[in-house]
Amino acid sequence: MKLNAAVYLIMTGLAFAHASASAKPGIPEDPQAPIIALNPQDMQAPSATPATLDRIEALMMQAKFIDASPETVQTALQQLQPYLTGAASAKALSLLARVQQHQHQFADAEKTLQKALKQSPDDSSARLLLASVMTIQGKFDAAKQQCLMLIDQAPMLITSACSLNASFHQLKHPDQQTAVYTQLASLSERFAVADETSAAWVMEMLAAMALDLNLPQAAIQHLALPVSPDRTISYLTIWAKAKLAAGEPDRVLSTLGNLVQSSALPDDALLLELARAEKRKHARSTWHQQVEARVQLREQRQDISHAAFLAYYYLEISPVPGKALYWAKVNWQTNRLQTDQQLLSLAEQAMAVQS
């Protein structure tokens, strides 16, 4: 399955799984996947007639946007079950891997994608997703090997971004990271992709790198698309982070706040950025209350897939250094990007100050 300039995005961050508090860029998706209009009943319990894999794929694509139903991913997983019995097809396995990635089960997603690629080694979307989950786990050399296998299958910019993203997080010195960031920025100008979703993916990656290098204005410049419901959750999260880093909490509260208010169940990452903006304004209102309620729910469930969200909350919103360090360590067990390392270091510093 070839990847071309008409790629689609699946979810973040994150990398990047979008529920992560440090949202990471999404992954370009198969251009052949149809866009299917979904009715409200599609979001309910699965019917006696199994949904098609195309419809399940459409659900997973929808999950990356702010107006997705809270049950979107769970519905997709339920509808996928009949296709996972016996010898599952490569497409069914790839869809399962997307669900696993969404739920931050990165090791499981890696194994599932390896199985899918044994059946369909030319599936560039699956290989790109495999490189992503490997990068998140800190398997940088293995990720870059997967990226190299995309040569002649994916556009030059997509292949390069895949490899450079792994290199950026593998390197430790800011000068080395700056060189990688500069190289990707140059390539994005020379080999621009035509479709908006592919361009947004590269924008997110460049903006995330710029933020890691403490260049918020550069990050904002990379995010050239209008902030709207048409943007992915990961894109909106990175935009909010950049605006806060640039000292614009009012813009985050007004622009992002209006979008989130219409969401059935706001994403953790977006709620956290709104609570951060309120904190900068020395205000405590609806966003802080919503984040507080979400934290209580995550802790009751011991929800390790949202460990970064909990760590940031106890580090920045309602400081409790011991809890921040605990959840930062939990997050580090599965997430090994630079932002995850920075989170752990900040939590350790906060704990040292308290001691």
Side-chain angles (χ1 to χ4, degrees):
M1 188 179 299
K2 297 283 185 175
L3 205 72
N4 63 26
V7 295
Y8 294 113
L9 288 173
I10 65 173
M11 316 157 353
T12 187
L14 177 141
F16 306 147
H18 81 256
S20 172
S22 53
K24 299 141 180 126
I27 307 296
E29 186 46 273
D30 175 18
Q32 303 304 321
I35 299 298
I36 299 175
L38 297 173
N39 297 318
Q41 56 265 31
D42 292 326
M43 308 305 298
Q44 308 304 318
S47 63
T49 303
T52 65
L53 288 176
D54 285 343
R55 184 168 292 276
I56 297 169
E57 185 169 34
L59 279 172
M60 290 306 299
M61 291 173 67
Q62 187 182 47
K64 68 188 187 302
F65 293 103
I66 198 169
D67 59 354
S69 164
E71 295 83 22
T72 302
V73 176
Q74 188 58 37
T75 298
L77 180 58
Q78 290 173 346
Q79 294 181 352
L80 188 59
Q81 294 308 308
Y83 296 96
L84 300 177
T85 58
S89 68
K91 183 167 184 176
L93 289 170
S94 294
L95 287 170
L96 174 60
R98 292 192 216 169
V99 174
Q100 291 168 329
Q101 181 212 28
H102 179 92
Q103 297 175 336
H104 289 205
Q105 298 168 352
F106 301 121
D108 290 338
E110 179 182 342
K111 293 176 183 177
T112 302
L113 287 163
Q114 295 281 17
K115 293 179 182 178
L117 286 165
K118 283 184 179 179
Q119 294 187 40
S120 183
D122 292 335
D123 187 341
S124 300
S125 297
R127 196 168 299 283
L128 193 59
L129 184 58
L130 177 57
S132 175
V133 298
M134 284 178 167
T135 298
I136 292 170
Q137 295 175 88
K139 300 178 180 181
F140 303 117
D141 288 332
K144 285 186 281 189
Q145 285 298 318
Q146 295 299 322
C147 297
L148 287 175
M149 295 176 72
L150 289 168
I151 294 175
D152 297 329
Q153 293 185 354
M156 168 75 173
L157 182 56
I158 300 298
T159 303
S160 299
C162 173
S163 181
L164 290 172
N165 183 56
S167 294
F168 182 89
H169 291 286
Q170 185 175 30
L171 297 169
K172 303 302 179 185
H173 197 281
D175 289 345
Q176 295 175 313
Q177 291 178 318
T178 299
V180 171
Y181 161 68
T182 302
Q183 183 179 357
L184 181 56
S186 176
L187 287 171
S188 71
E189 294 178 358
R190 292 171 54 198
F191 302 100
V193 286
D195 65 292
E196 189 174 280
T197 50
S198 297
W201 177 66
V202 177
M203 289 177 191
E204 287 183 45
M205 189 173 290
L206 284 167
M209 289 181 180
L211 282 175
D212 283 343
L213 293 169
N214 197 27
L215 301 169
Q217 291 298 340
I220 292 170
Q221 290 176 2
H222 289 306
L223 301 172
L225 297 175
V227 176
S228 74
D230 295 331
R231 305 283 79 81
T232 61
I233 290 172
S234 59
Y235 188 99
L236 294 173
T237 303
I238 294 172
W239 175 86
K241 287 178 179 293
K243 285 295 184 180
L244 285 178
E248 300 183 45
D250 286 324
R251 182 74 185 279
V252 173
L253 289 170
S254 60
T255 304
L256 184 60
N258 288 337
L259 293 178
V260 172
Q261 281 178 348
S262 63
S263 176
L265 184 67
D267 185 83
D268 284 6
L270 298 180
L271 283 179
L272 183 64
E273 297 311 315
L274 288 165
R276 280 173 165 159
E278 282 187 338
K279 187 89 171 181
R280 301 283 177 87
K281 297 289 293 181
H282 304 287
R284 179 188 172 95
S285 63
T286 180
W287 302 123
H288 188 113
Q289 293 169 8
Q290 288 191 50
V291 168
E292 192 172 49
R294 192 70 59 85
V295 165
Q296 292 174 1
L297 177 64
R298 301 298 183 208
E299 283 196 301
Q300 288 171 3
R301 295 177 176 176
Q302 284 294 292
D303 194 344
I304 62 174
S305 67
H306 294 82
F309 167 73
L310 292 166
Y312 278 115
Y313 175 81
Y314 285 120
L315 188 64
E316 299 180 12
I317 307 302
S318 184
V320 182
K323 287 190 173 185
L325 182 57
Y326 169 78
W327 287 110
K329 287 181 176 179
V330 171
N331 178 67
W332 184 247
Q333 291 174 8
T334 55
N335 295 259
R336 296 299 182 98
L337 298 180
Q338 176 165 313
T339 49
D340 304 303
Q341 187 174 47
Q342 290 173 342
L343 174 60
L344 181 59
S345 296
L346 289 171
E348 289 173 340
Q349 293 169 19
M351 193 67 186
V353 169
Q354 185 186 61
S355 302

